[in-house]
Amino acid sequence: TEDEVAEMDTVKGVRESGKRLITMIFRKNNVMLLFLVPDGKAESVKRVFDYMEAGLGLDVFRRVFPVILTDNGSEFKKVNELELTEEYEHRTHIYYCDPMASWQKGCLEKNHEFIRYAIPKGKSLNPYTQDDITLLMNHINSIKRPGLGNKSPYELVDKEDRVFQELMKLLKMHLIPPDEVHLMPDLFIEK
C-alpha cells in the first residue's frame, strides 16, 4: 500500500565532492531519516542499508522498508546491492521515479526545506558528524505541522509499532519538546 512506501534521495552541501546526506521519509507518518555519507557513491548508500540491516535484523529491515521509491541518481543505480543482502536474500524493493518527475517523491522533496533552515544551501556538509545530523533529524521530526493535524512526525509514530520503535532506537531518534525545537544554523555549535 501507499503507506508502506519510503521515499529516498540525496542532499548535497555544495557542488563539491564531499559529504552528502541520504534522506528517507515514511509516507505513513512523515518521519524523515538522515544519514551523513562521505560521498555520492553507490557504495556509501549500500553501507547505510547494510548498517540498518545489521542493526535491525533482516526480518525487521524488510518490515520497515518493504518498498523504497527514489530517483535514478548514480548513487542508487546498483539496485541489486540495495535490494539484496550479502547472502543474496531479498531485503527491499527499489522503484524509480520517472525521469524529471521528482514530484513523485514530493513528500521528501518538501521536507528537504527543513534541512536548509539549519544548513543553508551552498554550505558544505564536510564539517558535520553523524551526531550533528542525528540532532538535526530529531529537531525536524519534532516540528508540529498543520498538514499533520498539528502533530509532529514523531507524534504520529504508533506506540504499538514495535518494528518502527526498533528503528528509532537504532538511529537514536527521540522527540524534542516543542519549546526546545530549534531549526536555525546555530543548532550546531559553530561548524
Side-chain angles (χ1 to χ4, degrees):
T1 69
E2 182 79 7
D3 274 0
E4 294 179 329
V5 174
E7 300 173 11
M8 180 170 64
D9 202 1
T10 307
V11 172
K12 297 174 183 138
V14 289
R15 293 260 176 234
E16 64 182 30
S17 57
K19 293 181 182 178
R20 315 267 170 102
L21 294 177
I22 302 299
T23 61
M24 300 178 88
I25 199 164
F26 296 93
R27 289 181 175 173
K28 66 182 175 186
N29 54 26
N30 254 58
V31 169
M32 184 163 62
L33 308 181
L34 301 175
F35 301 96
L36 189 66
V37 293
D39 51 45
K41 295 185 175 137
E43 180 58 33
S44 295
V45 180
K46 180 185 181 305
R47 276 197 297 271
V48 167
F49 278 49
D50 291 347
Y51 169 78
M52 288 193 294
E53 181 198 325
L56 296 170
L58 181 57
D59 183 54
V60 172
F61 183 96
R62 284 178 176 148
R63 290 169 59 198
V64 173
F65 301 103
V67 175
I68 299 172
L69 176 67
T70 191
D71 58 43
N72 58 1
S74 60
E75 67 274 33
F76 305 127
K77 285 285 195 199
K78 294 188 177 177
V79 69
N80 283 347
E81 291 184 11
L82 298 178
E83 286 189 338
L84 304 176
T85 67
E86 294 290 328
E87 295 77 35
Y88 301 102
E89 290 184 72
H90 235 88
R91 62 181 170 189
T92 189
H93 297 278
I94 306 279
Y95 293 94
Y96 297 99
C97 296
D98 294 320
M100 308 306 288
S102 61
W103 55 268
Q104 292 176 341
K105 54 182 177 55
C107 191
L108 187 56
E109 297 289 340
K110 177 81 178 123
N111 267 270
H112 284 170
E113 292 175 16
F114 291 114
I115 295 169
R116 296 305 183 191
Y117 295 156
I119 305 173
K121 201 171 184 94
K123 184 163 178 17
S124 173
L125 294 172
N126 290 340
Y128 298 98
T129 65
Q130 182 61 49
D131 285 344
D132 294 326
I133 298 307
T134 298
L135 176 68
L136 175 60
M137 176 175 67
N138 283 326
H139 279 263
I140 290 171
N141 287 318
S142 297
I143 294 174
K144 293 178 184 289
R145 304 174 197 171
L148 301 177
N150 291 317
K151 291 187 185 289
S152 71
Y154 279 166
E155 290 172 311
L156 294 179
V157 173
D158 184 349
K159 303 286 181 258
E160 303 302 310
D161 187 346
R162 298 229 184 282
V163 169
F164 208 87
Q165 299 293 337
E166 284 188 51
L167 175 70
M168 290 183 70
K169 183 177 175 197
L170 174 69
L171 300 182
K172 301 179 182 133
M173 299 168 79
H174 61 85
L175 186 67
I176 306 285
D179 57 341
E180 293 176 28
V181 171
H182 185 78
L183 270 186
M184 301 289 281
D186 64 354
L187 174 63
F188 311 105
I189 294 115
E190 283 315 303
K191 287 287 173 185

